Amino acid sequence: MSVQILGTGSYLPPKVVTNDDLSKSLDTNDEWIHSHTGIRSRHIAEEDDCTSSMAAKAGKAALEAAGVSPDDIGLIIVATSTPDYATFPSTACLVQAALGCKGAGAYDLQAACAGFVYAIEQARCWAKVNKGAKALVIGAETLSRVVDWRDRGSCILFGDGAGAVVVGEAEGAGPEAHTVLWADGNGASFIYRDGGTRLKPQPGMFPIPTLVLQGHDVFAFAVRALAKVTNQLCEKLGTTPASLDRVFAHQANGRIIDAVARRMKLPLEKFYLNLETTGNTSAASIPIALDEAVRKGELKKDMKIVLCGFGAGLTYAGTYMQWPYL
Ligand code: COA
């Protein structure tokens, strides 16, 4: 049985914060941020939004695009590092209630910015063994609530949003996707957010801990990781990166994607880019980009694409697929 992406959706909160806006409260400027990251603006959730509400809006749009009713969803996976609650209940359970998916199991998956690729692989395998069943896979983040807005070396990078896909049995037969999932916990200190059980309780541990980033180390890892993932997928399938139609890489920094393109000797045009107006939305970045491309009519049947991400953990992962088959 073949499995495919049946529909996509996304949601970006309406409030836009530009680099110029940031320069009013931070020692930075548009020229520095744009030349070092490719980012000009990002969407930031207002008080009435949080990770589950944005995830539900993206999920609803994906269900509508797929023509699938909430009752038909058997599994909801939300990839996120910024859940509504610190640990439980999962954001996926809140999405399940918000969308009224009465027959669905639901859980969160935490693989940081690579989370969507991990999640779509789980949904693909689940849909393969549960004939006719449909899964809703969402990447959603409210990073604006965990970054340190005084740290110009990290807060300028991130934005909020959500993207979603519905996965289910394909209408006809199609080629199977291939995925690689990797991790390297030796790089755990490169990017982290404290506040878990690692720390023994101390007086004055509050307020909420913020994200800590070693930008140089993450940058070097990201370039190696994205190139390795894409090259190894192509090698595994006996093809070359040059034969790819489009690469949906995690939208972290335009200079990372430039360096990956150079390392792989691929034209930059093969890489989908929207980070100029979204910033880094972590696990949401790949499904937001995918939904944008679908809605612009840029993805045609049988196009060869790679989805690839990297993030805290360290994690890195990629999926090679012929659109829309998984
Ligand atoms: N505005 C102005 N100056 C800034 C600045 C900002 N927003 N952020 C840092 N600087 C300054 C630094 O203080 C430093 O000044 P100094 O030379 O006087 O000490 C200088 O710019 C260079 O800083 P550096 O950290 O070397 O810059 P960089 O070129 O490495 O860019 C990042 C920093 C964070 C943009 C880059 O390392 C990066 O994108 N890394 C990957 C991060 C990432 O993707 N994380 C998410 C993973 S999912």
Side-chain angles (χ1 to χ4, degrees):
M1 182 190 69
S2 298
V3 166
Q4 72 170 75
I5 291 179
L6 298 166
T8 64
S10 61
Y11 173 79
L12 290 166
K15 182 178 170 187
V16 172
V17 173
T18 64
N19 295 341
D20 286 334
D21 292 333
L22 291 180
S23 71
K24 290 175 193 151
S25 54
L26 210 56
D27 181 15
T28 189
N29 55 70
D30 178 59
E31 198 285 321
W32 193 97
I33 300 175
H34 191 255
S35 62
H36 283 73
T37 69
I39 298 165
R40 286 245 188 248
S41 61
R42 69 287 292 144
H43 294 255
I44 299 291
E46 294 197 83
E47 274 173 23
D48 56 346
D49 257 327
C50 58
T51 300
S52 68
S53 69
M54 294 190 289
K57 286 169 198 163
K60 186 167 183 282
L63 289 175
E64 282 166 7
V68 167
S69 130
D71 289 336
D72 292 333
I73 293 296
L75 179 67
I76 299 172
I77 309 175
V78 176
T80 186
S81 303
T82 49
D84 281 20
Y85 290 84
T87 45
F88 50 80
S90 70
T91 301
C93 283
L94 306 175
V95 171
Q96 181 267 338
L99 293 177
C101 298
K102 294 187 195 80
Y107 63 93
D108 288 358
L109 183 152
Q110 209 283 79
C113 305
F116 182 77
V117 179
Y118 273 68
I120 207 168
E121 175 64 0
Q122 293 195 349
R124 184 183 81 82
C125 296
W126 177 85
K128 287 253 175 210
V129 294
N130 290 282
K131 196 172 158 37
K134 294 178 180 64
L136 180 59
V137 184
I138 306 174
E141 304 281 9
T142 319
L143 288 147
S144 64
R145 301 213 179 125
V146 303
V147 295
D148 180 348
W149 285 105
R150 298 161 304 181
D151 177 12
R152 65 178 185 172
S154 62
C155 73
I156 50 120
L157 296 169
F158 297 100
D160 300 333
V165 301
V166 178
V167 172
E169 190 170 347
E171 281 150 23
E176 189 155 359
H178 288 267
T179 296
V180 288
L181 306 178
W182 281 313
D184 179 5
N186 291 313
S189 63
F190 290 4
I191 175 168
Y192 66 91
R193 184 186 164 220
D194 242 321
T197 52
R198 188 178 85 88
L199 298 178
K200 293 188 185 70
Q202 305 278 344
M205 262 176 69
F206 296 102
I208 298 172
T210 48
L211 180 150
V212 179
L213 170 71
Q214 290 180 31
H216 277 289
D217 295 323
V218 174
F219 195 106
F221 156 72
V223 176
R224 283 195 310 273
L226 292 179
K228 180 178 163 189
V229 158
T230 309
N231 281 331
Q232 292 223 353
L233 281 167
C234 290
E235 236 171 67
K236 203 168 153 183
L237 291 159
T239 184
T240 59
S243 71
L244 292 172
D245 294 302
R246 216 81 165 103
V247 180
F248 289 85
H250 171 44
Q251 306 286 303
N253 180 326
R255 279 168 55 222
I256 292 176
I257 295 180
D258 268 347
V260 174
R262 276 199 308 277
R263 184 180 269 236
M264 297 184 66
K265 299 186 176 56
L266 286 180
L268 190 58
E269 294 67 45
K270 293 231 178 201
F271 290 78
Y272 192 89
L273 281 173
N274 68 352
L275 58 83
E276 188 169 29
T277 55
T278 62
N280 177 348
T281 58
S282 189
S285 92
I286 293 173
I288 290 172
L290 206 53
D291 182 51
E292 259 187 35
V294 168
R295 283 171 202 269
K296 285 192 213 152
E298 288 187 18
L299 278 178
K300 307 273 183 266
K301 189 169 177 293
D302 290 326
M303 274 174 96
K304 296 174 183 139
I305 67 169
V306 162
L307 317 177
C308 50
F310 66 91
L314 301 165
T315 54
Y316 51 129
T319 292
Y320 176 107
M321 62 185 286
Q322 264 177 259
W323 184 259
Y325 300 104
L326 277 172

